[in-house]
Amino acid sequence: MSTTLGHNVIANLEVDATVSPAIRGTFIGSSLQAMRERSLNDDYFAVLEPMHHEAIRTLVPQSWVEMPLAMAHYRAMDTLITSNEEVLAIGRAVGDRVQKSYIATLIRGLKATGAVDPARVLARAPSISERIFRGGGVKVLRDGPKDISVHFIGVPLCAVRYFRWGFGGVVQGGLELVVRRVYVTPRQTSETSMALKVSWV
């Protein structure tokens, strides 16, 4: 990751190296729903490694999904959907299904203590991340008055384009609950990390 000297750190969660990384099954389940809505079920299982078929078909949404299965799923989706804009839209839909009620509750609590903007919401990124990822870390840096970068660290899924853009859509949709327009651009920063450049108007 590039140096953070001169940046304002507004939130930080260290990587927990004592646990194996995992993602909440609700995200995989909602991604599968998006796949089925696009009539890609047959194509999906054609590119998904056969050893993972049964686990995907019997996925428990509230479970923690270990990286081998999660990686296989996101790599299959990466093969099927090549448009970053479409992946961003899927991410927004996934966020609506699995995080919108939680984010809305968080925003109501923040409004009770003053004005709310994306920076105040993203200051809660550690608690949000812990609901989604097991073991991963996150750092939120203010880059300007309406510019923030969110760095996810120790999350192997960051190596997959579909995951990066999809999660960018999750963040975009959540923040548009408090401002009119949000722009999110992801980039991979290592094999297990990514940075989301977030700006808003």
Side-chain angles (χ1 to χ4, degrees):
M1 189 189 310
S2 61
T3 179
T4 62
L5 292 177
H7 288 84
N8 181 19
V9 179
I10 62 175
N12 186 51
L13 172 68
E14 296 294 336
V15 173
D16 184 354
T18 67
V19 298
S20 60
I23 186 171
R24 188 66 74 178
T26 46
F27 274 80
I28 304 289
S30 291
S31 181
L32 289 169
Q33 184 173 339
M35 174 270 293
R36 295 186 189 104
E37 289 169 353
R38 288 162 174 76
S39 301
L40 293 172
N41 193 70
D42 290 344
D43 293 333
Y44 173 82
F45 281 101
V47 296
L48 181 71
E49 297 166 276
M51 64 183 291
H52 296 298
H53 286 196
E54 183 62 21
I56 286 291
R57 290 192 172 102
T58 59
L59 183 77
V60 177
Q62 294 304 320
S63 66
W64 285 110
V65 177
E66 302 289 340
M67 282 299 113
L69 179 59
M71 191 71 77
H73 163 73
Y74 283 109
R75 282 176 173 157
M77 295 297 291
D78 191 64
T79 299
L80 293 176
I81 302 178
T82 59
S83 164
N84 290 339
E85 288 302 316
E86 185 174 2
V87 178
L88 199 70
I90 291 172
R92 289 171 58 90
V94 168
D96 285 346
R97 292 183 185 121
V98 303
Q99 286 290 312
K100 195 166 188 176
S101 61
Y102 173 74
I103 297 296
T105 300
L106 185 154
I107 290 169
R108 283 195 297 271
L110 291 174
K111 283 181 176 178
T113 61
V116 180
D117 66 4
R120 288 196 70 199
V121 176
L122 289 172
R124 302 297 183 92
S127 65
I128 297 170
S129 180
E130 287 178 321
R131 290 171 56 89
I132 301 168
F133 303 116
R134 187 180 68 198
V138 62
K139 181 176 287 187
V140 183
L141 309 173
R142 182 184 285 279
D143 301 321
K146 293 186 176 181
D147 295 278
I148 281 177
S149 55
V150 186
H151 300 259
F152 289 92
I153 308 147
V155 180
L157 296 172
C158 293
V160 183
R161 176 199 61 93
Y162 179 92
F163 175 80
R164 294 193 300 272
W165 281 90
F167 202 79
V170 171
V171 172
Q172 183 185 57
L175 294 179
E176 285 183 349
L177 294 174
V178 296
V179 290
R180 181 171 58 88
R181 185 64 176 149
V182 177
Y183 302 92
V184 179
T185 305
R187 66 182 177 87
Q188 183 179 359
T189 52
S190 80
E191 283 300 308
T192 60
S193 64
M194 68 176 175
L196 302 180
K197 180 177 173 56
V198 180
S199 59
W200 62 93
V201 295

